[in-house]
């Protein structure tokens, strides 16, 4: 994948940071590049990735092509200033910033039954001074299964449910893993970290690496994660929407919070271009503040229904790494938005009543 040159970064960040919703603007930037094969020597386009997601997960007009089932949340980020030593980003200065977010489950079906083993997502959109934004889309996995966009594309077919059983064909999966040792290694790491029983007790990680840039221009590789500060819980109900029902119940009782931790990598030692490889556990960790969620609602145009949680929407002081997944994610999110924006309106994948 083509790296964005150093001279392009400020212009791209300024253009994206000025967008409040991220629909048309992200389509015109990330989607334009990827769709025209400027990114990716293998001619893998955003359109082909989204086509594959639709072929495997089904097509549900008006909904995201992956992580279709979701709910909107809102709250604030209480920055303690701890990460300001690494970056000039306003989000890391001491103070509070409003945020919106979205909890979700992987897959294209917004009516799927909640499964504890499904990948859980948390997208956050931080509103920052001067009209800047920071968007991040995290999941509850310790590493990403695939090192490249091509591997992600190919794995979707290898793991597609068999029509006869509704589950992936074990022989096809075994053959795929045998031919993709990096994914096989990542799957072993994932298997060693079973999911917690609820959204509120999940650790969410931004698996791609980024660069933090300080006021002297020093660049430090980082990853980040959210660690729950909520007490241990088990699902309080049963049924198709058990995970989301429990989240609604928990937020009605009071705020939920997570510690945002910046993991400090070592340049030249920790990979910045491969999200399937974990960094050493002894790496320095800086607590940057607390994400506090106070409100939950059905997705609508007034909250996050039309927001792309594009990982390349960054404030000054944070720059993308050379991870090829970042460009692919940005472009695929834009293509998914383009398609659903032209379809009947999404009514909200999880209905939240009484709020």
């Amino acid at each position: 994948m083509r790296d964005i040159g150093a001279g392009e970064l400020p212009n791209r960040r300024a253009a994206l940071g000025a967008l409040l919703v991220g629909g048309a603007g992200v389509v015109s930037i990330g989607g334009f590049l990827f769709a025209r094969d400027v990114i990716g020597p293998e001619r893998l386009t955003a359109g082909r990735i989204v086509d594959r997601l639709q072929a495997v997960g089904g097509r549900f007009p008006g909904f995201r092509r992956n992580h279709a089932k979701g709910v909107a949340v809102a709250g604030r980020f209480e920055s303690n200033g701890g990460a300001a030593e690494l970056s000039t980003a306003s989000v890391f200065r001491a103070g509070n910033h409003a945020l919106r977010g979205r909890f979700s489950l992987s897959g294209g079906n917004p009516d799927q039954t909640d499964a504890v083993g499904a990948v859980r997502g948390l997208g956050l959109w931080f509103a920052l001074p001067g009209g800047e934004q920071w968007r991040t889309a995290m999941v509850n996995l310790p590493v990403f299964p695939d090192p490249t966009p091509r591997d992600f594309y190919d794995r979707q077919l290898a793991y597609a449910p068999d029509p006869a059983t509704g589950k992936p064909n074990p022989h096809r999966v075994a053959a795929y893993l045998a031919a993709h040792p990096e994914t096989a290694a990542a799957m072993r790491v994932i298997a060693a970290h079973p999911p917690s029983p609820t959204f509120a007790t999940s650790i969410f990680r931004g698996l791609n690496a980024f660069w933090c840039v300080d006021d002297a221009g020093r660049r430090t590789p980082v990853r980040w994660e959210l660690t729950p500060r909520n007490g241990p819980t088990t699902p309080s109900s049963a049924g198709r929407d058990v995970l989301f029902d429990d989240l609604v119940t928990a937020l009605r009782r009071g705020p939920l919070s997570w510690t945002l931790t910046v993991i400090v990598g070592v340049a030249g030692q920790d990979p910045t271009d491969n999200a399937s490889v974990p960094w050493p556990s002894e790496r320095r960790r800086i607590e940057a503040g607390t994400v506090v969620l106070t409100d939950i609602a059905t997705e609508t145009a007034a909250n996050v229904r039309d927001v792309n949680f594009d990982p390349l929407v960054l404030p000054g002081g944070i720059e993308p790494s050379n991870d090829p997944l970042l460009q692919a994610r940005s472009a695929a999110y834009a293509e998914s938005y383009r398609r659903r924006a032209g379809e009947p309106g999404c009514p909200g994948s999880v209905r939240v009543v009484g709020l």
Side-chain angles (χ1 to χ4, degrees):
M1 291 235 160
R2 185 185 73 88
D3 293 336
I4 299 178
E8 296 175 72
L9 285 170
N11 291 335
R12 177 181 174 85
R13 187 189 306 115
L16 288 173
L19 301 171
L20 293 179
V21 178
V26 174
V27 170
S28 67
I29 299 173
F32 175 87
L33 293 173
F34 199 75
R36 284 158 178 74
D37 299 322
V38 176
I39 300 170
E42 296 178 298
R43 307 281 182 187
L44 179 61
T45 66
R48 290 181 62 192
I49 290 177
V50 176
D51 286 344
R52 176 61 57 86
L53 290 171
Q54 288 180 175
V56 172
R59 180 175 175 273
F60 298 85
F63 289 90
R64 298 168 197 259
R65 273 26 184 194
N66 194 13
H67 285 264
K69 186 173 186 178
V71 69
V73 290
R76 64 187 181 275
F77 175 55
E78 300 173 349
S79 176
N80 60 19
E85 64 174 277
L86 299 178
S87 171
T88 59
S90 57
V91 71
F92 292 143
R93 298 177 203 144
N96 292 349
H97 306 286
L99 62 79
R100 299 181 188 180
R102 182 178 188 268
F103 285 97
S104 63
L105 291 181
S106 62
N109 185 353
D111 296 318
Q112 66 178 299
T113 298
D114 292 0
V116 172
V119 177
R120 301 169 200 168
L122 174 56
L124 294 177
W125 167 23
F126 299 78
L128 303 176
E132 282 195 312
Q133 297 178 38
W134 181 28
R135 301 188 197 179
T136 181
M138 295 169 282
V139 293
N140 69 323
L141 298 178
V143 293
F144 196 71
D146 315 294
T148 70
R150 169 63 66 176
D151 292 321
F152 173 81
Y153 177 81
D154 292 341
R155 181 174 58 84
Q156 300 311 302
L157 190 58
Y159 276 73
D162 188 316
T165 65
K167 298 178 180 180
N169 183 301
H171 301 294
R172 187 170 60 209
V173 169
Y176 180 83
L177 293 177
H180 295 79
E182 288 182 288
T183 295
M187 290 298 189
R188 289 191 291 271
V189 174
I190 292 170
H193 294 76
S196 68
T198 65
F199 277 116
T201 54
S202 295
I203 298 174
F204 292 96
R205 299 177 176 90
L207 301 177
N208 304 111
F210 291 81
W211 293 96
C212 276
V213 185
D214 68 12
D215 55 6
R218 287 183 292 263
R219 301 168 77 244
T220 303
V222 300
R223 290 176 174 175
W224 46 73
E225 70 179 30
L226 292 177
T227 305
R229 302 178 66 174
N230 314 300
T233 63
T234 55
S236 56
S237 62
R240 189 187 69 176
D241 301 321
V242 56
L243 290 172
F244 287 97
D245 287 344
D246 178 80
L247 180 64
V248 172
T249 299
L251 271 168
R252 281 175 169 164
R253 292 195 188 110
L256 298 175
S257 60
W258 284 258
T259 299
L260 175 62
T261 299
V262 176
I263 302 165
V264 183
V266 177
Q269 296 184 31
D270 298 328
T272 57
D273 62 350
N274 191 341
S276 72
V277 177
W279 284 359
S281 59
E282 64 268 21
R283 289 295 179 253
R284 183 184 174 205
R285 300 167 66 88
I286 299 175
E287 292 189 2
T290 306
V291 167
V292 181
L293 300 180
T294 56
D295 300 288
I296 188 166
T298 302
E299 288 184 86
T300 69
N303 48 53
V304 297
R305 188 195 68 191
D306 300 331
V307 173
N308 283 341
F309 292 97
D310 183 337
L312 295 183
V313 177
L314 300 166
I318 305 176
E319 297 179 354
S321 70
N322 55 341
D323 189 335
L325 290 172
L326 287 170
Q327 288 282 2
R329 287 175 59 194
S330 177
Y333 292 178
E335 175 64 13
S336 172
Y337 178 86
R338 184 189 67 79
R339 296 186 187 191
R340 63 190 173 93
E343 298 169 340
C346 162
S349 53
V350 177
R351 287 289 192 178
V352 180
V353 298
L355 292 178

